[in-house]
Amino acid sequence: MTRTAIIAALPGELKPIVRLWPHSTRNGVHFWAQRNEEDEWIAACAGAGQAAATRAFAALEAGGPIDLVFSIGWAGALTAELVPGSAHNVAGVIDAKTGERFRCDAGAGDLWLVTAPTVAGEKEKLRLAATYNAALVDMEAAAIARLAAQRQIPFYAIKGVSDSLHDRLPDLNRFITPQGQFQTARFALFAAIRPIYWPSLIKMGENSKKASQNIAESLLEFLA
């Protein structure tokens, strides 16, 4: 049986893929699984950041060897050309902390993704684009790519654009716990009294939903 792992940061990124799959939670990690006689698909998310992605990978691997792994989820655009809501099968991943580069396996696209330690605002996005010649930024993929390379497991990353290069958004880092959990209630209270951010946040919500659906379609097309 082939075990395909799908790892994201947040349940919303996985929702279109796993909505009919059995769900469970253990030690702060969300799990979903589906199988037939020949294949098993397992998905997990443990929060934002490389440490959380590593926990999700380890939790899935505890159930048996992984044969193929995908990093999926939302990413910020580093170029004005990327359409919010679109999904992209990236060529490879760069770790902004170490400079390591991990190329995805055959069939990947031509855009590169950089993994940063924090949510990137516009100024940081411009710096990352110039430094790494990357088109997208996330917080998790490099950890998954590194673990896959260490185990010689085929690795792919499919990322959906949740926010454009010039979107005016609040600093989301202040609402992410050290464990990578997003404090939704605290953020909602913050945003409720700051209407200056409402248009961008509404747009990001719509883009994120569309991006998740496009990620799911790209993943299913790829696996088919």
Side-chain angles (χ1 to χ4, degrees):
M1 177 178 289
T2 299
R3 297 185 82 230
T4 299
I6 306 165
I7 299 174
L10 303 170
E13 297 169 317
L14 286 163
K15 186 176 180 180
I17 300 169
V18 303
R19 58 174 171 256
L20 298 178
W21 297 8
H23 170 256
S24 62
T25 305
R26 295 192 301 276
N27 299 321
V29 182
H30 292 269
F31 298 91
W32 295 263
Q34 184 70 280
R35 70 175 66 185
N36 59 28
E37 293 181 354
E38 298 180 353
D39 299 289
E40 181 180 21
W41 298 273
I42 48 177
C45 63
Q50 293 202 47
T54 299
R55 291 197 303 272
F57 190 104
L60 292 178
E61 196 173 42
I66 295 171
D67 301 301
L68 173 67
V69 62
F70 287 85
S71 171
I72 73 159
W74 299 320
L78 299 184
T79 70
E81 289 73 28
L82 289 186
V83 178
S86 60
H88 304 273
N89 188 2
V90 305
V93 180
I94 307 160
D95 189 332
K97 290 184 68 175
T98 67
E100 294 169 281
R101 289 177 176 259
F102 305 94
R103 184 171 289 277
C104 295
D105 278 68
D110 56 3
L111 302 178
W112 279 78
L113 167 76
V114 59
T115 294
T118 59
V119 179
E122 182 180 1
K123 184 177 180 180
E124 178 63 3
K125 285 181 177 181
L126 291 169
R127 187 192 73 81
L128 291 169
T131 302
Y132 299 105
N133 193 28
L136 294 157
V137 57
D138 83 337
M139 293 175 61
E140 297 81 31
I144 303 167
R146 182 180 297 106
L147 291 166
Q150 291 170 352
R151 292 155 175 76
Q152 299 184 322
I153 301 169
F155 165 78
Y156 297 91
I158 301 177
K159 297 291 172 170
V161 182
S162 58
D163 51 290
S164 69
L165 176 61
H166 301 296
D167 280 349
R168 185 175 186 180
L169 297 168
D171 180 9
L172 300 178
N173 294 294
R174 61 191 294 187
F175 303 101
I176 300 175
T177 71
Q179 293 73 39
Q181 304 305 306
F182 188 72
Q183 298 173 310
T184 304
R186 182 165 167 252
F187 175 70
L189 289 173
F190 169 89
I193 59 173
R194 292 170 173 83
I196 190 173
Y197 294 122
W198 292 355
S200 292
L201 291 174
I202 291 171
K203 185 167 62 174
M204 186 173 70
E206 294 171 348
N207 291 337
S208 297
K209 184 177 180 180
K210 184 177 180 181
S212 294
Q213 186 60 47
N214 285 329
I215 290 169
E217 292 175 4
S218 296
L219 176 64
L220 294 174
E221 181 181 351
F222 186 90
L223 291 174

Coordinates of all heavy atoms in Angstrom, one line a residue, residues 71-73 75-77 79 81-91 104 108-113 135-136 156-162 211 214-215 218-219:
S71 N 3.5 19.3 0.7 CA 3.2 20.5 1.5 C 2.2 21.3 0.8 O 2.5 21.8 -0.3 CB 4.5 21.2 1.8 OG 4.3 22.5 2.4
I72 N 1.1 21.5 1.4 CA 0.1 22.4 0.8 C -0.3 23.5 1.7 O -0.1 23.5 2.9 CB -1.2 21.6 0.4 CG1 -2.0 21.2 1.6 CG2 -0.8 20.3 -0.4 CD1 -3.4 20.9 1.3
G73 N -1.0 24.5 1.2 CA -1.5 25.6 2.0 C -1.4 26.9 1.4 O -1.0 27.1 0.2
A75 N -0.1 30.8 0.8 CA 1.2 31.5 0.7 C 1.0 32.9 0.3 O 0.0 33.2 -0.4 CB 2.1 30.8 -0.3
G76 N 1.9 33.8 0.6 CA 1.8 35.2 0.2 C 2.6 35.3 -1.2 O 3.6 34.7 -1.4
A77 N 2.0 36.2 -2.0 CA 2.7 36.5 -3.3 C 3.9 37.4 -3.1 O 3.8 38.4 -2.4 CB 1.7 37.1 -4.3
T79 N 5.4 38.5 -6.0 CA 5.4 39.3 -7.2 C 3.9 39.8 -7.5 O 3.0 39.1 -7.1 CB 5.8 38.5 -8.4 OG1 4.9 37.5 -8.8 CG2 7.2 37.8 -8.1
E81 N 2.5 39.7 -10.3 CA 1.9 39.0 -11.3 C 1.0 37.8 -10.9 O 0.1 37.3 -11.6 CB 3.0 38.4 -12.3 CG 3.6 39.5 -13.1 CD 4.6 40.4 -12.4 OE1 5.1 39.9 -11.3 OE2 4.8 41.5 -12.7
L82 N 1.3 37.3 -9.6 CA 0.5 36.2 -9.1 C -0.9 36.6 -8.7 O -1.1 37.5 -8.0 CB 1.2 35.5 -8.0 CG 2.5 34.8 -8.3 CD1 3.0 34.0 -7.1 CD2 2.3 33.8 -9.4
V83 N -1.9 35.8 -9.2 CA -3.3 36.2 -9.0 C -3.7 35.6 -7.6 O -3.6 34.4 -7.4 CB -4.2 35.6 -10.1 CG1 -5.6 35.9 -9.8 CG2 -3.7 36.2 -11.5
P84 N -4.2 36.4 -6.7 CA -4.8 35.9 -5.5 C -5.9 34.8 -5.7 O -6.7 35.0 -6.6 CB -5.3 37.1 -4.8 CG -4.5 38.3 -5.3 CD -4.3 37.9 -6.8
G85 N -5.8 33.7 -4.9 CA -6.7 32.6 -5.1 C -6.2 31.5 -6.0 O -6.7 30.4 -6.0
S86 N -5.2 31.8 -6.8 CA -4.6 30.8 -7.7 C -3.7 29.8 -6.9 O -3.3 30.1 -5.8 CB -3.8 31.5 -8.8 OG -2.7 32.2 -8.3
A87 N -3.5 28.6 -7.5 CA -2.7 27.6 -6.8 C -1.5 27.3 -7.8 O -1.7 27.3 -9.0 CB -3.5 26.4 -6.5
H88 N -0.4 26.9 -7.2 CA 0.8 26.7 -8.0 C 1.6 25.5 -7.4 O 1.9 25.4 -6.2 CB 1.7 27.9 -7.9 CG 1.0 29.2 -8.4 ND1 1.0 29.5 -9.7 CD2 0.3 30.1 -7.7 CE1 0.2 30.6 -9.9 NE2 -0.2 31.0 -8.7
N89 N 1.9 24.6 -8.3 CA 2.8 23.5 -8.0 C 4.2 24.0 -8.2 O 4.7 24.2 -9.3 CB 2.5 22.3 -9.0 CG 3.2 21.1 -8.6 OD1 3.9 21.0 -7.7 ND2 3.0 20.0 -9.5
V90 N 4.9 24.2 -7.1 CA 6.2 25.0 -7.2 C 7.4 24.1 -7.6 O 7.3 22.9 -7.4 CB 6.5 25.7 -5.8 CG1 5.3 26.6 -5.4 CG2 6.8 24.7 -4.7
A91 N 8.4 24.7 -8.1 CA 9.6 24.0 -8.5 C 10.5 23.6 -7.4 O 11.1 22.5 -7.4 CB 10.4 24.9 -9.5
C104 N 11.7 20.2 -5.9 CA 10.6 19.2 -5.9 C 10.9 18.2 -7.0 O 11.7 18.4 -7.9 CB 9.3 19.9 -6.2 SG 8.8 21.1 -4.8
A108 N 7.1 19.2 -11.4 CA 6.8 20.5 -10.6 C 6.8 21.7 -11.6 O 7.2 21.6 -12.7 CB 7.7 20.7 -9.5
G109 N 6.3 22.8 -11.1 CA 6.3 24.0 -12.0 C 7.6 24.7 -12.0 O 8.7 24.1 -11.7
D110 N 7.6 26.0 -12.3 CA 8.8 26.8 -12.4 C 9.0 27.9 -11.4 O 9.9 28.7 -11.4 CB 9.0 27.3 -13.8 CG 7.8 28.2 -14.2 OD1 6.9 28.4 -13.4 OD2 7.8 28.7 -15.4
L111 N 8.0 28.1 -10.5 CA 8.1 29.1 -9.5 C 8.7 28.5 -8.2 O 8.4 27.4 -7.8 CB 6.7 29.6 -9.1 CG 5.8 30.2 -10.3 CD1 4.5 30.6 -9.8 CD2 6.6 31.4 -10.9
W112 N 9.5 29.3 -7.5 CA 10.1 28.9 -6.3 C 9.4 29.5 -5.1 O 8.9 30.7 -5.1 CB 11.6 29.3 -6.3 CG 12.4 28.3 -7.0 CD1 12.6 28.2 -8.4 CD2 13.2 27.2 -6.5 NE1 13.4 27.2 -8.7 CE2 13.8 26.6 -7.5 CE3 13.5 26.8 -5.2 CZ2 14.7 25.5 -7.4 CZ3 14.3 25.7 -5.0 CH2 14.9 25.1 -6.1
L113 N 9.4 28.8 -4.0 CA 8.8 29.2 -2.7 C 9.8 29.4 -1.7 O 10.7 28.5 -1.6 CB 7.8 28.1 -2.3 CG 7.2 28.1 -0.9 CD1 6.2 29.2 -0.8 CD2 6.6 26.8 -0.5
A135 N 8.8 33.5 -5.8 CA 7.5 34.0 -6.2 C 6.5 34.0 -5.1 O 5.5 34.7 -5.1 CB 7.0 33.4 -7.4
L136 N 6.8 33.1 -4.1 CA 5.8 32.8 -3.0 C 6.5 32.7 -1.7 O 7.7 32.3 -1.7 CB 5.0 31.5 -3.3 CG 4.1 31.5 -4.5 CD1 3.8 30.1 -4.9 CD2 2.7 32.2 -4.1
Y156 N 6.6 17.3 -3.0 CA 6.0 18.3 -3.8 C 5.3 19.4 -2.9 O 5.0 19.1 -1.7 CB 4.9 17.7 -4.7 CG 5.4 16.7 -5.7 CD1 5.4 15.3 -5.4 CD2 5.8 17.1 -6.9 CE1 5.9 14.4 -6.3 CE2 6.3 16.1 -7.8 CZ 6.3 14.8 -7.5 OH 6.8 13.9 -8.4
A157 N 5.2 20.6 -3.4 CA 4.5 21.6 -2.7 C 3.5 22.3 -3.6 O 3.9 22.8 -4.7 CB 5.5 22.6 -2.2
I158 N 2.3 22.4 -3.2 CA 1.3 23.1 -3.9 C 0.7 24.2 -3.0 O 0.2 23.9 -1.9 CB 0.1 22.1 -4.3 CG1 0.6 21.0 -5.2 CG2 -1.0 22.9 -5.1 CD1 -0.4 20.0 -5.6
K159 N 0.9 25.4 -3.4 CA 0.6 26.6 -2.6 C -0.5 27.5 -3.3 O -0.4 27.7 -4.5 CB 1.8 27.4 -2.3 CG 2.8 26.6 -1.4 CD 2.3 26.3 0.0 CE 3.2 25.4 0.8 NZ 2.8 25.3 2.2
G160 N -1.4 28.0 -2.5 CA -2.4 28.9 -3.0 C -2.2 30.3 -2.5 O -1.8 30.5 -1.3
V161 N -2.4 31.3 -3.4 CA -2.1 32.7 -3.0 C -3.2 33.2 -2.2 O -4.3 33.4 -2.7 CB -1.9 33.5 -4.3 CG1 -1.5 34.9 -3.9 CG2 -0.8 32.9 -5.2
S162 N -2.9 33.5 -0.9 CA -4.0 34.1 0.0 C -3.9 35.6 0.0 O -4.9 36.3 0.3 CB -3.8 33.6 1.4 OG -2.5 33.9 1.9
A211 N -8.3 29.8 -2.9 CA -7.0 29.1 -3.0 C -7.1 27.7 -2.5 O -6.5 26.8 -3.2 CB -6.0 29.9 -2.2
N214 N -8.6 25.6 -5.2 CA -7.7 25.4 -6.3 C -6.6 24.4 -6.0 O -6.1 23.7 -6.8 CB -7.2 26.7 -6.8 CG -8.3 27.5 -7.6 OD1 -9.1 26.9 -8.3 ND2 -8.2 28.8 -7.6
I215 N -6.1 24.5 -4.7 CA -5.1 23.6 -4.3 C -5.6 22.1 -4.3 O -5.0 21.2 -4.8 CB -4.7 23.9 -2.8 CG1 -3.9 25.2 -2.7 CG2 -3.9 22.7 -2.2 CD1 -3.7 25.7 -1.3
S218 N -5.8 21.0 -7.9 CA -4.5 20.7 -8.4 C -3.9 19.4 -7.9 O -3.3 18.6 -8.6 CB -3.5 21.9 -8.1 OG -3.9 23.1 -8.7
L219 N -4.1 19.2 -6.6 CA -3.6 18.0 -6.0 C -4.3 16.7 -6.5 O -3.6 15.7 -6.9 CB -3.8 18.0 -4.5 CG -3.5 16.8 -3.7 CD1 -2.0 16.5 -3.7 CD2 -3.9 16.9 -2.2

